[in-house]
């Protein structure tokens, strides 16, 4: 991501006087809360992204980076993440947290910027319980491509490349059951509209393929920083990835980003509060999610991280090139995404994934 100049310029123009006007009403309410811990992904929560909020409110946002959503869910369920004040479930995995009673019911009247969200995210039922109560707010979305070294591969990769013996020792997969098993399902021929509802026979075929893949892999990556370093050191030349290594290493190495025709994995991250969050911290958390849906965070994450928020608040202010970079030049692009959905039998998927890694 050519962070140095871009971050400096973005912060100089956006993190100063603009933030005070946007968040002025939050200062008094949050003054009594010196620190909030936000459990999120390292690509969503760069320290720069929260500077304007901290300056305006006086509340420090302490970042706790996640390794996987499965680990996040387990930590909340077992109580081992008692210090987390704000969390980051996925849109399609939120039902697990809601069903387990792990999230606080949200009062949308305290989040004015919800009104500026794209309809597809604002009206989704995936963050609600059966009674229609809302427990999470979608705030950031994009796609997960295949990132690769264009000087090491002789053609653009697809999902079959991740299982090709030709590249043994140079490949990497994400340590995440849902996406990895789904990719294997696509490769063994499961239709894309059924890949997240595979039956036992199809899951067995996917498992068999993943076991044959394991010796070909340099790593199962957990954080995108780890994967970026593996690309930078030349240890990995092709991986199912987030776009971060492409952005950060472009210009330094011959990097490419492929969107497999079999189906591009779309993702959407949500903001939520643990069910046990006390009222004083909940008041600050409401201000923070409103900030995530507002123009300052939206601008920073678009210009630095190349991600789009679920809000239309800055879309018209971006050039066509900037819109295209974060996939909001044509909103119909979302129709071509495969949105990973954790199935009801996801415990079976987790069992398979652990068996693959232990093989």
């Amino acid at each position: 991501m050519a962070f140095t100049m871009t971050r400096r310029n973005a912060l100089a123009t956006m993190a100063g006087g603009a933030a005070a006007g946007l968040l002025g009403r939050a200062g008094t309410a949050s003054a009594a809360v010196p620190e909030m811990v936000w459990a999120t992904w390292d690509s969503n929560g760069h320290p720069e992204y929260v500077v304007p909020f901290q300056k305006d409110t006086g509340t420090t946002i302490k970042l706790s980076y996640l390794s996987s959503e499965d680990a996040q869910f387990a930590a909340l369920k077992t109580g081992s993440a008692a210090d987390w004040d704000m969390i980051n479930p996925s849109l399609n995995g939120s039902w697990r947290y809601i069903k387990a009673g792990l999230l606080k019911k949200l009062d949308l009247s305290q989040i004015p910027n919800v009104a500026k969200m794209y309809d597809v995210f604002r009206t989704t039922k995936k963050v609600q319980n059966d009674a229609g109560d809302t427990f999470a707010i979608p705030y950031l979305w994009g796609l997960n491509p295949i990132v690769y070294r264009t000087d090491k591969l002789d053609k653009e990769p697809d999902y079959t490349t991740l299982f090709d013996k030709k590249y043994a020792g140079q490949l990497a997969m994400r340590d995440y059951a849902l996406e990895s098993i789904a990719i294997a399902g696509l490769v063994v021929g499961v239709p894309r509209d059924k890949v997240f509802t595979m039956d036992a026979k199809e899951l067995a075929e996917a498992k068999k393929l993943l076991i044959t893949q394991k010796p070909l892999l340099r790593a199962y990556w957990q954080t995108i920083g780890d994967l970026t370093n593996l690309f930078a050191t030349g240890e990995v030349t092709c991986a199912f990835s987030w776009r971060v290594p492409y952005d950060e290493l472009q210009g330094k190495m011959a990097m490419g980003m492929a969107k497999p025709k079999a189906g591009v994995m779309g993702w959407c991250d949500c903001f939520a509060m643990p069910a046990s969050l006390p009222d004083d911290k909940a008041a600050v958390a409401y201000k923070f999610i409103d900030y995530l849906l507002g123009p300052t965070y939206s601008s920073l994450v678009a210009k630095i991280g190349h991600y789009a928020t679920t809000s239309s608040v800055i879309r018209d202010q971006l050039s066509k090139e900037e819109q295209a970079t974060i996939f909001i030049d044509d909103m119909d692009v979302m129709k071509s995404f495969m949105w990973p959905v954790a199935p009801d039998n996801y415990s079976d998927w987790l069992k398979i994934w652990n068996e693959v890694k232990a093989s």
Side-chain angles (χ1 to χ4, degrees), residues 45-355:
H46 287 302
E48 298 96 313
Y49 295 169
V50 300
V51 167
F53 183 85
Q54 294 178 147
K55 284 184 176 179
D56 194 73
T57 64
T59 295
T60 297
I61 302 299
K62 183 178 179 181
L63 300 166
S64 180
Y65 294 135
L66 302 170
S67 60
S68 74
E69 180 162 15
D70 294 332
Q72 177 182 225
F73 178 77
L76 287 166
K77 194 169 184 179
T78 60
S80 61
D83 61 326
W84 290 351
D85 303 310
M86 304 177 292
I87 57 175
N88 203 120
S90 70
L91 178 60
N92 289 306
S94 292
W95 67 269
R96 288 197 292 165
Y97 301 79
I98 296 170
K99 188 175 181 179
L102 299 175
L103 305 182
K104 181 182 286 293
K105 184 172 72 171
L106 300 180
D107 177 2
L108 299 186
S109 70
Q110 298 194 51
I111 314 171
N113 282 329
V114 162
K116 300 172 184 176
M117 292 171 66
Y118 296 115
D119 285 346
V120 67
F121 298 114
R122 183 175 54 80
T123 63
T124 182
K125 303 295 184 184
K126 294 180 179 179
V127 293
Q128 299 178 350
N129 63 8
D130 293 339
D133 298 317
T134 298
F135 290 83
I137 302 293
Y139 77 96
L140 201 67
W141 67 276
L143 62 82
N144 290 338
I146 294 175
V147 173
Y148 65 104
R149 290 274 300 274
T150 58
D151 57 338
K152 300 293 185 180
L153 275 68
D154 53 13
K155 63 179 182 179
E156 183 173 286
D158 57 23
Y159 290 133
T160 64
T161 308
L162 299 171
F163 300 84
D164 191 338
K165 294 180 181 179
K166 179 179 179 180
Y167 303 106
Q170 306 172 50
L171 305 169
M173 288 284 283
R174 185 182 177 195
D175 187 1
Y176 183 35
L178 186 60
E179 290 173 332
S180 295
I181 294 174
I183 288 171
L186 290 171
V187 173
V188 300
V190 178
R192 57 177 287 174
D193 61 338
K194 297 182 179 179
V195 77
F196 295 110
T197 57
M198 285 188 279
D199 60 28
K201 182 179 179 181
E202 292 166 333
L203 284 171
E205 287 298 310
K207 175 183 176 181
K208 182 179 178 181
L209 181 61
L210 288 165
I211 289 175
T212 65
Q213 180 199 45
K214 185 184 176 185
L216 309 180
L217 298 178
R218 173 63 181 83
Y220 291 113
W221 63 272
Q222 292 191 337
T223 73
I224 199 60
D226 290 341
L227 180 60
T228 301
N229 288 336
L230 289 170
F231 271 110
T233 57
E235 297 173 77
V236 166
T237 61
C238 183
F240 175 68
S241 181
W242 301 347
R243 64 174 295 154
V244 175
Y246 171 82
D247 290 322
E248 185 159 346
L249 299 175
Q250 193 180 25
K252 303 174 185 176
M253 308 174 75
M255 302 297 293
M257 181 169 63
K259 305 167 190 173
K261 293 180 180 178
V264 180
M265 296 283 185
W267 58 267
C268 179
D269 288 334
C270 297
F271 176 94
M273 306 178 203
S276 59
L277 193 67
D279 290 345
D280 60 335
K281 286 192 169 184
V284 181
Y286 277 119
K287 302 295 184 184
F288 189 67
I289 180 55
D290 204 51
Y291 168 77
L292 295 181
L293 295 174
T296 303
Y297 179 81
S298 295
S299 295
L300 287 168
V301 78
K303 294 177 182 293
I304 297 174
H306 299 155
Y307 290 132
T309 66
T310 58
S311 171
S312 63
V313 66
I314 65 160
R315 183 173 185 268
D316 293 341
Q317 300 170 25
L318 300 175
S319 68
K320 283 296 182 182
E321 182 180 2
E322 288 172 327
Q323 290 180 2
T325 298
I326 59 175
F327 314 113
I328 60 172
D329 54 326
D330 177 7
M331 297 307 295
D332 284 343
V333 70
M334 283 184 266
K335 297 178 182 177
S336 67
F337 283 4
M338 293 177 59
W339 296 98
V341 179
D344 291 339
N345 67 334
Y346 191 51
S347 59
D348 294 336
W349 289 51
L350 292 174
K351 182 173 182 291
I352 288 170
W353 187 237
N354 288 331
E355 290 171 348

